[in-house]
């Protein structure tokens, strides 16, 4: 039985590309591993896949009992593929906080405080002298440029930059030119519905006793999202009602101005006010300099929730 390498639900570029990259690494090391996904491929990721002529991983809605699984780019149960509780989890390769992980047996865990899982995967290739194909280098580069927003995100580290520059050479692309083209390909709402916008790159979190969903969409002009804010808020209400969330937040992140408009629905709004030291009685706030969900949104919300 092949080992599945899989990222989180509602996958982003790192989740898809790190799954492909790590499956290639494990296969080269002698383990039969195949990348799979449990969500749709977004426009940015599809651009990278098309550019380097790589097929998207096979879609699965759940894993079967006893299926061997390696998780990349996540570790929280709420973000994992359905059925994981009855599968055999072998490894976790990640760069996020740990959120209540429990396992039935010991496993290999490799986490680092870097900007992207693909940085970790790249260094594993090099540390073990495993040759990296050009297309894999291109996809891992794409993941780093996506997660760090071309180095603009506060999550970006020197390790990410060093890996990206080496990967760009291997992939045969000019780093900034390629990165801008990829980010622009994925930016904006295009033909997305309000519901799809509300759930773009969404991840569930628990802040104290409150169940929340935090989504993020990258744009070059926030007005194209804010102009349909009423429809997006209606979609958010539907999500809360159907899926039992107390709060849903959408980061509308401007990759040019390096700022985020945080649109939200649900209660307690005071949690948002306390976290970001702003009046949150409306339905959105402006957050200059905020680019990262992991480093600039989730931590202040987690800290504010301790008061509740």
């Amino acid at each position: 039985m092949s080992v599945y390498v899989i990222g989180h639900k509602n996958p982003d570029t790192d989740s898809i590309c790190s799954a492909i990259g790590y499956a290639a690494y494990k296969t080269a090391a002698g383990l039969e591993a195949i990348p799979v996904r449990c969500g749709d491929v977004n426009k940015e990721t599809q651009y990278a896949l098309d550019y380097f002529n790589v097929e998207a991983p096979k879609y699965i809605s759940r894993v079967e009992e006893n299926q061997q699984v390696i998780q990349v780019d996540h570790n929280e149960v709420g973000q994992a593929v359905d059925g994981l509780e009855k599968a055999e989890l072998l490894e976790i390769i990640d760069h996020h906080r740990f959120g209540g992980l429990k396992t039935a047996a010991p496993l290999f865990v490799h986490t680092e405080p870097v900007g992207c899982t693909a940085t970790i995967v790249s260094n594993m290739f090099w540390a073990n002298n495993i040759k990296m194909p050009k297309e894999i280098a291109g996809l891992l580069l794409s993941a780093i440029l996506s997660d760090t927003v071309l180095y603009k995100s506060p999550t970006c580290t020197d390790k990410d930059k060093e890996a990206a520059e080496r990967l760009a050479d291997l992939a045969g692309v000019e780093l900034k030119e390629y990165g801008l083209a990829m980010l622009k390909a994925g930016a904006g709402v295009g033909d997305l519905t309000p519901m799809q916008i509300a759930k773009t790159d969404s991840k569930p979190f628990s802040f104290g006793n409150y169940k929340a969903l935090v989504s993020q969409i990258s744009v070059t002009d926030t007005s194209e999202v804010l102009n349909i804010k009423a429809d997006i808020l209606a979609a958010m209400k539907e999500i809360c009602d159907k899926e039992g969330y107390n709060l849903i937040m959408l980061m509308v992140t401007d990759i040019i101005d390096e700022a985020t408009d945080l649109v939200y629905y649900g209660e307690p709004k005071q949690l948002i006010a306390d976290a970001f030291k702003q009046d949150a009685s409306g339905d959105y706030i402006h957050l200059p300099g905020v680019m990262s969900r992991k480093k600039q949104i989730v931590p202040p919300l987690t800290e504010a929730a301790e008061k509740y």
Side-chain angles (χ1 to χ4, degrees), residues 2-13:
S2 297
V3 176
Y4 284 171
V5 183
I6 189 167
H8 51 75
K9 292 179 179 177
N10 300 305
D12 58 6
T13 300

Side-chain angles (χ1 to χ4, degrees), residues 220-268:
T220 55
D221 180 5
T222 58
S223 66
E224 63 177 328
V225 177
L226 298 181
N227 285 345
I228 57 170
K229 178 160 60 69
D231 294 329
I232 294 171
L233 289 168
M236 288 179 162
K237 180 181 185 303
E238 184 178 344
I239 294 167
C240 286
D241 291 344
K242 287 185 176 180
E243 301 183 29
Y245 290 105
N246 302 105
L247 273 170
I248 177 168
M249 290 163 265
L250 171 66
M251 297 174 64
V252 185
T253 300
D254 190 319
I255 61 175
I256 304 299
D257 290 345
E258 301 181 35
T260 289
D261 286 310
L262 187 69
V263 180
Y264 46 85
Y265 174 85
E267 294 292 342

Side-chain angles (χ1 to χ4, degrees), residues 183-249:
L183 292 175
K184 287 179 178 178
V189 300
D191 56 357
L192 296 177
T193 67
M195 179 63 73
Q196 288 172 324
I197 294 170
K199 299 196 80 172
T200 296
D201 189 16
S202 61
K203 292 184 179 181
F205 296 93
S206 292
F207 300 119
N209 295 321
Y210 301 104
K211 182 181 176 184
L213 189 71
V214 184
S215 305
Q216 184 172 24
I217 188 166
S218 297
V219 298
T220 55
D221 180 5
T222 58
S223 66
E224 63 177 328
V225 177
L226 298 181
N227 285 345
I228 57 170
K229 178 160 60 69
D231 294 329
I232 294 171
L233 289 168
M236 288 179 162
K237 180 181 185 303
E238 184 178 344
I239 294 167
C240 286
D241 291 344
K242 287 185 176 180
E243 301 183 29
Y245 290 105
N246 302 105
L247 273 170
I248 177 168
M249 290 163 265

